[in-house]
Amino acid sequence: MARVVNLKLERSVFRKVLVANRGEIARRVMRTLRALGIASVAVYSDADIDAPHVREADEAYRLGPGPITQSYLHVEALLDAARASGAEAIHPGYGMLSEKADFAETCEAAGLTFIGPAPAAIRAMGSKLGARQLMREAGVPIVPGALSPCDDPQAAHTLAEELGYPVLVKASGGGGGIGMQVVRQSIALAGALESCRRVAERYFGDGTVYIEKYIERPRHIEIQVIGDARGHVLALHERECSIQRRHQKVIEEALSPAVTPELRRRMEEAAVIGAEAINYVNAGTLEFIVDEQGEFYFMEMNTRLQVEHPVTEMITGVDLVAEQLRVAAGEPLSFDAAPAARGHAIECRIYAEDPKRLLPSPGTIENIAWPELDHVRVDHGVEAGYTVTPYYDPMLAKVIVWGEARADARRRMIEALNQTRIDGIKTNIPVLLAIARHPSFASGQYDTGFIDSHGILASI
Ligand code: ADP
């Protein structure tokens, strides 16, 4: 497996850190805390009282009932837990409060270090429209489209004609592909804008919508960046995230089989310029869409640790959580230049879902078996006897493999998935296996429409 380059802090940057999250990411953050000799504080809802992340922490505090608004998003309860435990810092993981600028501010006001970027940087990237404006000014190529809200249907029509159909209607405050709609004809535009606005209002409390050019058969390729408080921003290469279902990632790899050294250099340069434009301090990701001609366009920046960060860790040997802790404490990055990528890594996300219908599949896990192979990392937050509830994201685990070459990694992934058993609930493991075995995946020739265009769901 790739070597670890940065777990060598002579002294701990913090003594105690509260992890404001659950499941696999809470455990993953705690693993680094342990390795650095930092005490960990878990928080939990009533639904997670027996969850592994609670047991593994040095201390644990109850937040409230199962629903996230009453537990993991309950800021007062979190601050009480931080005060009671004496934690000096809060790591938000991903999702939950990780990209809430107000929460970052509240932490700072309470004398706690938020392990993430400055609130202003979170805000700058929190609106997709605002981010598009900023990146355009910084000279980062963005997807052609609107720079301000599309409130007026007539102006939206004019812009769509200029861009040429198809166009994509998006929620500025959106995430998880929610509300997004492809529009292929002008007659459908007004309705799509209106329904996206309604969905955005309901999910994000922000009905701002806009349109951009819909790029056909694109690849989603993103650049991992990391910046410290001394103004040093580095790009840790790309992740290929084009295997998606409903615009949500399912399999990610690093490096991308589609990126040439020249394209990598240009994308990394753009990502660093983008992060520098907001004085970015933390691990972050600039997401790009790459068209069939190999042109890349900025889509959005995620100002947090990403679900798929392990593939970057596997090929670089960097522990991204350790770097997050360092830079949040004002320390410099532990390396002057980005470590070169070594080998190839692939990650599969295992969801508790009915694989054919893509519906969540809650229930109690009866038995579980994880792969036992070299160069395989499993980040998970569940065990036998654990009950998957409808309260939280249905992602249970990530299986991450490494190989000298992509073909080795793919073979290892198939073996690892074959060894993985989660009994008692339905999972998407059959879908992951069907993708991993598919000749087009094996060839590296694929785009974001892979699952649909190859009839993967119908084949299982
Ligand atoms: P969200 O924040 O809701 O997840 P993103 O902007 O990150 O939305 O886009 C999610 C996915 O939607 C992308 O990975 C890509 O597959 C698809 N997508 C987004 N924008 C475009 C576009 N302009 N053209 C084609 N596909 C797109």
Side-chain angles (χ1 to χ4, degrees):
M1 189 157 340
R3 68 284 173 217
V4 172
V5 298
N6 64 336
L7 271 185
K8 52 173 191 245
L9 292 186
E10 300 75 25
R11 60 188 178 80
S12 298
V13 283
F14 299 104
R15 280 174 293 110
K16 197 184 265 194
V17 173
L18 183 146
V19 183
N21 217 303
R22 61 180 301 283
E24 68 88 15
I25 193 60
R27 295 188 64 220
R28 189 265 165 269
V29 172
M30 287 178 199
R31 198 168 67 229
T32 292
L33 294 177
R34 251 192 321 275
L36 295 175
I38 302 172
S40 55
V41 181
V43 288
Y44 60 94
S45 72
D46 292 340
D48 278 338
I49 193 158
D50 295 321
H53 84 271
V54 180
R55 249 191 348 263
E56 283 172 16
D58 295 306
E59 289 168 60
Y61 292 81
R62 174 183 180 269
L63 295 173
I68 49 172
T69 48
Q70 296 171 59
S71 51
Y72 297 100
L73 298 183
H74 188 333
V75 173
E76 270 315 310
L78 279 163
L79 294 182
D80 285 347
R83 269 190 291 268
S85 63
E88 305 153 280
I90 296 194
H91 194 300
Y94 53 68
M96 301 294 186
L97 292 165
S98 61
E99 290 179 292
K100 300 275 186 253
D102 291 352
F103 178 67
E105 251 160 24
T106 305
C107 288
E108 304 294 336
L112 295 158
T113 303
F114 176 74
I115 314 283
I122 302 178
R123 272 198 192 101
M125 291 296 175
S127 118
K128 288 185 204 270
L129 266 177
R132 285 168 58 76
Q133 282 160 7
L134 261 171
M135 290 302 100
R136 203 178 86 122
E137 281 159 25
V140 176
I142 61 171
V143 182
L147 288 168
S148 53
C150 292
D151 296 331
D152 170 26
Q154 198 43 53
H157 272 293
T158 310
L159 177 60
E161 294 292 340
E162 258 171 54
L163 293 170
Y165 286 90
V167 296
L168 190 61
V169 175
K170 276 189 174 182
S172 181
I178 295 168
M180 207 184 278
Q181 279 182 64
V182 183
V183 178
R184 297 196 175 267
Q185 285 175 327
S186 65
I187 184 136
L189 183 61
L193 283 166
E194 194 40 47
S195 77
C196 183
R197 190 187 328 279
R198 270 199 309 273
V199 172
E201 192 67 65
R202 187 166 79 237
Y203 277 88
F204 314 112
D206 173 5
T208 311
V209 297
Y210 68 99
I211 59 173
E212 64 186 32
K213 177 83 188 151
Y214 179 68
I215 314 270
E216 304 266 18
R217 290 171 294 282
R219 298 182 81 120
H220 171 127
I221 296 172
E222 58 188 34
I223 305 284
Q224 174 73 56
V225 295
I226 179 112
D228 66 21
R230 302 168 190 208
H232 195 198
V233 179
L234 291 174
L236 295 178
H237 323 307
E238 82 275 8
R239 288 185 291 259
E240 163 71 65
C241 308
S242 300
I243 302 289
Q244 306 182 341
R245 58 128 170 72
R246 291 203 195 122
H247 302 304
Q248 282 184 325
K249 303 161 190 166
V250 191
I251 297 183
E252 302 96 348
E253 42 183 326
L255 298 169
S256 165
V259 173
T260 60
E262 165 65 7
L263 180 58
R264 177 168 307 121
R265 191 189 56 70
R266 286 169 51 219
M267 291 183 76
E268 291 189 350
E269 194 177 276
V272 169
I273 289 172
E276 282 175 348
I278 55 165
N279 299 318
Y280 195 71
V281 181
N282 185 34
T285 298
L286 286 96
E287 297 189 337
F288 295 95
I289 200 124
V290 179
D291 70 13
E292 290 180 293
Q293 285 71 46
E295 288 306 319
F296 66 92
Y297 306 95
F298 170 83
M299 266 193 304
E300 65 166 351
M301 179 174 182
N302 292 317
T303 53
R304 54 166 160 84
L305 191 66
Q306 203 97 332
V307 174
E308 58 273 22
H309 75 276
V311 290
T312 299
E313 295 188 323
M314 279 229 174
I315 60 157
T316 59
V318 170
D319 180 320
L320 283 166
V321 174
E323 294 305 313
Q324 286 189 293
L325 292 162
R326 287 183 72 103
V327 301
E331 300 279 318
L333 291 169
S334 69
F335 37 84
D336 292 328
R342 206 189 120 231
H344 193 91
I346 305 177
E347 171 181 282
C348 284
R349 301 187 185 193
I350 299 182
Y351 286 95
E353 70 184 13
D354 178 332
K356 269 199 182 298
R357 296 185 304 150
L358 299 182
L359 292 174
S361 164
T364 299
I365 299 175
E366 286 157 14
N367 267 308
I368 218 160
W370 300 117
E372 288 186 17
L373 291 166
D374 287 344
H375 305 305
V376 175
R377 162 175 166 182
V378 181
D379 284 14
H380 70 88
V382 290
E383 61 194 354
Y386 182 80
T387 299
V388 180
T389 66
Y391 296 129
Y392 314 118
D393 186 274
M395 195 184 76
L396 304 178
K398 305 180 308 205
V399 174
I400 311 115
V401 304
W402 182 88
E404 284 291 341
R406 185 172 183 268
D408 306 319
R410 188 184 72 90
R411 270 194 301 272
R412 190 162 286 141
M413 180 57 86
I414 294 171
E415 219 180 320
L417 290 171
N418 274 327
Q419 288 187 8
T420 306
R421 295 199 45 156
I422 302 178
D423 298 334
I425 55 166
K426 290 187 174 144
T427 75
N428 66 333
I429 294 174
V431 179
L432 297 170
L433 267 170
I435 299 168
R437 288 187 178 127
H438 198 284
S440 295
F441 182 76
S443 73
Q445 300 292 315
Y446 60 82
D447 58 60
T448 57
F450 178 90
I451 291 182
D452 288 339
S453 59
H454 293 291
I456 297 291
L457 300 186
S459 77
I460 53 162

